């Protein structure tokens, strides 16, 4: 007799990021304590129960070239007032429809008051600290460089604004 149950746990990560997550936060490590991950917790629970784990995200190796391609196309569109700007407008309209059309939710759409719930606000504030910290632990050189560059850039812009006001 076939028994129904959980067929797999899908972890929102690609192979390389998942491998890096496991390297940075092995069981019992300080990384696991300081940067808890719902993905690792789900994977551990699945392994304990003999449930397979499936990775369900685009590989970051494929994402970089695609982002570069889209950035170049977007810049070309910005520089093309006629056809390019029309494509940008079409993209914005399509994105707004996907983001804000709730007709298929049968009245179950989020309302503004849902975003003011204390547990959601606490999770939001926590994520503002946890996600950058996790990124810094997983990729200290690029993320650290980005943070330092942002700090120096902000300082430079502030200095330039002061000189312009003087």
């Amino acid at each position: 007799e076939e028994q129904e149950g959980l067929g797999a746990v899908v972890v929102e990560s690609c192979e390389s990021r998942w491998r890096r997550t496991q390297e940075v936060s092995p069981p019992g490590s300080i990384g696991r304590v300081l940067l808890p991950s719902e993905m690792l917790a789900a994977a551990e629970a699945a392994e304990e129960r003999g449930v397979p784990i499936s990775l369900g995200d685009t590989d970051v190796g494929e994402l970089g070239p695609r982002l570069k391609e889209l950035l170049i196309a977007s810049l070309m569109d910005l520089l093309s007032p006629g056809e390019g700007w029309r494509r940008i407008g079409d993209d914005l309209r399509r994105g707004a429809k996907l983001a804000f059309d709730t007709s298929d939710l049968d009245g179950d759409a989020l309302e503004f008051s849902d975003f003011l719930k204390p547990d959601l606000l606490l999770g939001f504030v926590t994520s503002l600290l946890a996600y950058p910290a996790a990124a810094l632990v997983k990729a200290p050189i690029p993320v650290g460089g980005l943070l330092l560059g942002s700090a120096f850039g902000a300082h430079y812009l502030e200095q330039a604004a002061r000189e312009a006001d003087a």
Side-chain angles (χ1 to χ4, degrees):
E1 179 178 315
E2 189 175 317
Q3 197 174 26
E4 288 190 32
L6 189 61
V9 169
V10 179
V11 173
E12 186 184 357
S13 186
C14 68
E15 184 70 38
S16 59
R17 285 187 306 143
W18 183 241
R19 192 172 33 254
R20 182 71 179 139
T21 297
Q22 292 175 315
E23 290 169 3
V24 170
S25 300
S29 71
I30 191 73
R32 184 70 65 100
V33 173
L34 294 177
L35 301 169
S37 163
E38 69 275 16
M39 300 298 171
L40 285 169
E44 285 176 0
E47 287 174 354
E48 289 170 5
R49 291 161 179 79
V51 175
I53 298 165
S54 178
L55 300 178
D57 207 349
T58 301
D59 193 274
V60 292
E62 298 170 13
L63 188 60
R66 179 70 176 135
L67 286 175
K68 181 180 177 184
E69 176 187 321
L70 291 172
L71 176 64
I72 291 169
S74 296
L75 290 173
M76 297 304 293
D77 282 347
L78 280 172
L79 297 172
S80 305
E83 188 66 21
W85 290 9
R86 185 193 58 75
R87 280 192 297 269
I88 291 171
D90 290 346
D91 285 347
L92 290 172
R93 280 187 291 282
R94 187 172 42 256
K97 184 176 186 325
L98 288 170
F100 301 113
D101 180 12
T102 60
S103 61
D104 62 337
L105 298 178
D106 297 326
D108 286 340
L110 290 173
E111 297 177 2
F112 182 74
S113 62
D114 292 321
F115 294 98
L116 300 177
K117 292 181 178 176
D119 55 342
L120 183 67
L121 291 172
L122 178 62
F124 171 69
V125 171
T126 302
S127 72
L128 292 177
L129 301 172
Y131 285 114
L136 188 58
V137 167
K138 290 179 185 177
I141 293 174
V143 174
L146 179 66
L147 292 174
L148 285 174
S150 297
F152 285 121
H155 174 74
Y156 174 77
L157 288 173
E158 182 181 350
Q159 193 74 16
R162 284 187 186 152
E163 289 174 11
D165 287 344

